[in-house]
Amino acid sequence: MADPAVMAGGFSAIRSGCGKATSSPAENYQLARRRTLQVVVSSLLTECGFESAEKATVESLTEMIQSYISEVGRCAKAYCEHTARITPTLSDTVVTLNEMGFNVDTLPGYAKRSQRMVITAPPVTNAPVIPKALIAGQKRTHPSHIPSHFPEFPDPHTYIKTPTFREPVSDYQVVREKAASQRRDVERALTRFMAKTGETQSLFKDDVTAFPLIAERPSSIPYLSALLPSELELQTLEETDSSEQDDQTDSENTPVNNLNDDPGADKENSVLLAGSVVPLVKVSEESMIDNPYLRPVKKPKVRRKK
Amino acid sequence: MNRKKDKGFETPLFLNVLTCYVMFIPHTTHQVVCINNINFQRKSVIGFVELTIFPTVVNLNRIKLNSKQCRIYRVRVNDLEAPFIYNDPTLEVCHHESKQRNLNYFSSAYTAAVSAVDPDAGHGELVIKVPSELWKQGDEMNVLKVYIEFSLDQPKGGLHFVVPDVEGSMAERGAHVFSFGYQNSTRFWFPCVDSYSELCTWKLEFTVDASMVAVSCGDLVETVYTHDMRKKTFHYVLPIPTAASNISLSVGPFEILVEPYMHEVTHFCLPQLLPLLKHSMSYLHEIFEFYEEILTCRYPYSCFKTVFVDEAYVQVSSYASMSIFSTNLLHSAMIIDQTPLTRQCLAQALAQQFFGCFISRMSWADEWVLKGISGYIYGLYLKKTFGVNQYRHWIKEELDKMVEYELKMGGVLLHPTFGGGKDKDNPTPHLHFSIKHPHTLSWKYYKMFQCKAHLVMRLIENRISMEFMLQVFNKLLSLASTASSQKYQSHMWSQMLVSTHSFLKSISNVSGKDIGPLIKQWVDQSAVVKFFGSFAFNRKRNVLELEIRQDYTSSGTQKYVGPIKVTVQELDGSFNHTLQIEENSLKHDIPCHSKSRRNKKKKIPLMNGEEVDMDLSAMDADSPLLWIRIDPDMSILRKVEFEQADFMWQYQLRYERDVVAQEESILALEKFPTPASRLALTDILEQDQCFYKVRQGACFCLAKIANSMMSTWTGPPAMKSLFTRMFCCKSCPNIVKTNTFISFQSYFLQKTMPVAMAQLRDIQNLCPKDVLNFILDLIKYNDNRKNKFSDNYYRAELIDALTNSLTPAISISNEVRTVDNLNGDVRLILEEITRSLNMEKLLPSYRNTITVSCLRAIRMLQKNGHIPSDPSLFKSYAEYGHFVDVRVAALEAVVDYTRGMHRTSPSEVSRTHPIPYVVHKILSMLGKNPPFTKAAESPLCNEALVDQLWKLMNSGTSHDWRLRCDAVNLYYTLFGLTRPSCLPLPELGLVLNLKEKKAVLNPTIKPEQGPDTTEMTGITMGVHIPGLITMETVSSVSMSSGVAPPPQGLKRKLDSVVGPLGSSSPEPGQVLQEEDTSKKFKIRFNTVEEDEIDMESPHDSQAFIHHHLNILERPSTPGKEPPAVDQAVLSLPVTPLPSSFGKESTSSSKHSGDHHHHHHHHEHKKKKKKKHKHKHKHKHESKDKERDSHAFSNSPASGRSARSPSMSD
């Protein structure tokens, strides 16, 4: 539990460092960080059994590790801001790492590995002044495998669970019951609202308000709504699909964006009114498939007058 | 309108040509069709055709072509202007408004009209005179090129325009057009020789908007922009000789999908549906592979196109190298139920590509071969894909359907032969239509014809083996494909046409077997065989004495002589016996193999080699017979009614492995409501291996049995515990599991069980409370969130279950249906229905299945008297702009309402945008559920209706063969073959002045208020609102005085028209009538309401009688809403306006003033002829009034007069 929290702290520090790249102390600070990273890379290489490495290689590895860490920081920050906080917490970082395809569970084991090299503290430079935050509770001390120069633990409330609600009822029957009546209530409220705010048809002449039916509205293209799956259905389909997909792609490190892009694009295709009749076959296929309908339209022949 | 304009082109010069008639049949060898303008806004088409004709006779001076609707601008033969005559006798079948009104007369006239333009006999609507300059060339047999320029304006048949009314360009709106028709209907959209036997090669050019795609037959050679780059021209070439009837076109902003497995196959769908298209078509290549493999023949065309269009005429129609489907066949991966249906449609379409499009028929009498073969190979596909069970189930279903039809309507004749004499030797005198032409055939008959054709093919297969069968097909195909590559001059093309003779010849060549008797029995002869079987077991002789009797005297039956297979399941095994059915032998002795020995424990071998343990305690100790089946392989087209003991049916259900046998025993067990039957059915329900359709059938049978056993039934309601065990949670049995639908068998069972359970009734004949709550819980706890399939069909069936649970309302006298006195259970049901229906507006389900079910449920609530009967809701759902399934369901409700309320008007809804399919549905639903029949008296049966329907079939449906035949069918159902009884006898004397009557009454607006008024009076009936009484009093006064002037407000515009035309001024009597009717509308609806009470809730008969007495005291005039069966026709220009409603007439005069003009002088003549008919009708009315004042609503008077505006010129 603790280790990722440390990392989170570390990353956020880096990130905040990055933010102030204008002043020269900050530059120094960055250089120092960079040097530390180089040391880290070199030590990792050594750990892996390399005896020497070209400078360029070390440079690019450093660049990679730096951008990875920055990305983690950026994402974690984004997550925390999304939930209206200003400091990333452990869970933000965990989510970030998960999103980036990193299996967090392996982290504690890795951190405690036996042959790890201890890296000396980075040269102390004038670290940018971090404004003091309100301290709540007792901060935990570093466990033995975390170098002391690493940032301190954040406030305990950011990672300690404080139960403020009752245990949810997990009895199957009650849950189903609840879901069913909730759905029914929502549906009823929604349809009643629609009926009240729009035109209705009624089954009884004496009491028009009893059992109001939302008035039917002829559509110009009735088959579209009747044939295309509704957005809700699409969503469920995506959920069931993506849960299956997740299982497969978990091991690969699929970037966050790709997962979101594909279904979104599909949806757009289906929802947007296709204005033109340009064949929707991908360009790459087009070259292979010889189908008369995919061939380009010919230009008219020049008139004979000329 | 069309007709008139066409007539404008008549060249009188040629009338003399008609007189010197020379029979000839020229051959078209090549045809060019060029459509250079398609205007979606105006729904018009302009183009030309060029036929290359090879004269087969010297001195060819006239050429006859088929053309309907087309306006022809000019005709040139070899660049010389040629005069032509255009005459289409089918536009109006019976000319000069004859008074016959007799279906026999109509049918023969219609047949004659169709024959007169029959391309197979060398006739046609368009007669072109070959310019005399070219006559001499005829000697040298030179090729003639006939060039015809034509246009189509708002075609009613042949081409269907779909132009959604939204913003944007035509492409953005998804506007499209496609060709359609029943049988050979290509003549509706371009001039041609519209015959399946007239083959030629084709060049097709279509210039369409640059945003559109034109899909047509043959290979797309190139697409070229026009000079302004706004349009492009699609050039198609079809080198394979093809009949004009197999040419089609569809143009629209289609999305294009190239089949990933076969790049020569292209799919087209309307914008936004591409994802559905991708999924629905993902299976097509397997069907291709299947057919190519069994036929050992490549797909004959070089490409294949599928187009999915909206408002399709039929679900599937096949043309040369392309098929047009209904867009409603498309579905996403979430949909279970539609998937097999769509695949079946694809398979049918593809089968018809081989037999029907590539191989065409020699003549109409050979149609059965093509339909038979394509149906047969489709069956093979079914067997391979959906399994033997499904296949056998399908065969049984088709057989039952066909047998039922033949027994009811008389035989279906596959291969009619017509002698020289025309009407004398009609092979099917039992039918009310002629089967000489496809266009005179009832749609239902044609469906049964197709059904029988493939069943007969199966019989042939049984006789000669499948291997030979496929060899024959292969032979036909390879001959045809050799022929197709030849030039016309080689005279080989006829090889591409199949005839009964050539088909039978190849069968005998290939198999060496004589199938003559079989053909004679089933193909040359109509009707089916009806067997009755019973048996006795003779213990002494150990012989089964089987008696098989035949009914060959009733209609639709024939005598069968020949072998019949009987399968006897004995203790020792299953034995097949082939008995010979002969003239006089009824009894057959079958020796049994096993002695009865029930004590020995031994497994019993079944037919399929399986050995099973059976509990033999139920069976007769003396007999070794377990069950007996007659003709188990369905190798005779027959109906078998077999009697055996209940335990034998139960054994058959449990242990016979054939699904047909299982279904038969389920049907039989309905008559044996015993605990043993219950157990057998329950066991079947629980058996996973059992075919799901059998289990579905068992559900309904179990419900019926449970109802019969009501008093002795023990335990929870039938199927409840079963359902709970199968589909509910283990921990909480009242909650259904969340849906997964992974096992389709259980899915179908889960859908069916609640529907069947809802049919259960308790001693009070109500649905048990348990069951209702159970179904309501199913709806409540239905949870589809984790399901990758849609649950729309399941939810729809749950609504159906609610519908099934409804029983007639018990109402206290005088009670009107109000919210307050709604029964508690019904309130719950209604709440579910309203919620579901409302949710559909927000989250529509696939094909709006739930809306459809809800509409049915609401109609059932109305019918059972829980809520006020009112068609307005259905009418609004029946409007154009709803999904077609919803419209059809709503129309069905309106039709049903018509039957209950004795009022007709369903067709009016489709008036504004007639979609052929919907109009067809209306007519066939009316035919299926007629408001009255020839046998029964009905207030609706009056002259106005007869006239309208007559007009509909006579001229109103000339644009669509199918519709016309539907109208004929409806006419037959309503009035029978002879003159409708409601019409006065034609011999009665004339009372001239009464003719005006027709022109008088036009209850402007009033009928439209009908429903509301009904409701009002319905409510006030018990209370006697003073106002109402006043009204009545007033009218009664006016009636008695008889001279009251017509109220100004009610005077129709047409009065003025009537004045100058009519020879006599309006009679007092008629004025009176007008007045009365207008006043009396309310009262009349009173009675309507009464009638309904009478019919639907027997409980308040007392109140009913009371009201009747009330009404009897009221003076009343005949008044009734004129039926408007053919309102749909309103928009057809060729139809005289049947404006029966006041509203109608006003609106039509507004909209289509010129229509009026057109028809005026037309109608004029007819009117005069009608005069004498009307006056004696008047007498009838008065009699009616006296006889039965309550029946005043029956009087034809108001109905007739109501429609008068259209008649008065």
Side-chain angles (χ1 to χ4, degrees), chain A residues 176 183 187 205 226 277 298, chain B residues 211 254 782 835 847 870:
Chain A
R176 285 293 300 276
R183 199 194 51 190
E187 285 185 4
K205 290 288 183 284
V277 209
K298 289 183 186 168
Chain B
S211 55
F254 298 120
N782 179 42
R835 198 168 45 82
R847 291 195 80 150
D870 176 8

Side-chain angles (χ1 to χ4, degrees), chain B residues 381-425:
Chain B
Y381 160 79
L382 270 192
K383 200 195 298 191
K384 184 231 164 197
T385 313
F386 297 98
V388 176
N389 282 348
Q390 174 74 46
Y391 173 73
R392 287 189 65 89
H393 170 82
W394 177 67
I395 291 285
K396 176 185 180 334
E397 213 174 46
E398 296 272 291
L399 181 63
D400 287 349
K401 230 176 14 187
M402 191 207 69
V403 165
E404 190 199 1
Y405 180 83
E406 292 210 29
L407 292 180
K408 191 171 144 223
M409 301 295 294
V412 171
L413 184 55
L414 288 184
H415 182 54
T417 43
F418 299 94
K422 283 215 165 171
D423 296 325
K424 297 288 178 192
D425 48 2

Side-chain angles (χ1 to χ4, degrees), chain A residues 176-177 183-184 187 201 204-206 212 214 216 219-220 223 226-227 229 233 277 291 293 298 300-301, chain B residues 211 222-223 225 227 236 254 263 266 305 736 781-782 790 818 832 835 838 847 870 876 881-882 1015:
Chain A
R176 285 293 300 276
E177 184 93 49
R183 199 194 51 190
R184 170 173 301 221
E187 285 185 4
Q201 289 169 316
F204 292 90
K205 290 288 183 284
D206 57 331
I214 302 176
E216 41 74 40
S219 108
S220 311
Y223 59 86
L227 297 180
E233 282 178 309
V277 209
N291 183 293
Y293 293 94
K298 289 183 186 168
K301 284 165 199 159
Chain B
S211 55
E222 56 176 359
T223 318
Y225 277 116
H227 288 284
Y236 285 91
F254 298 120
H263 293 170
T266 321
K305 286 140 288 184
V736 67
Y781 292 117
N782 179 42
S790 167
T818 59
E832 287 305 333
R835 198 168 45 82
N838 284 339
R847 291 195 80 150
D870 176 8
S876 65
H882 292 99
E1015 194 46 49

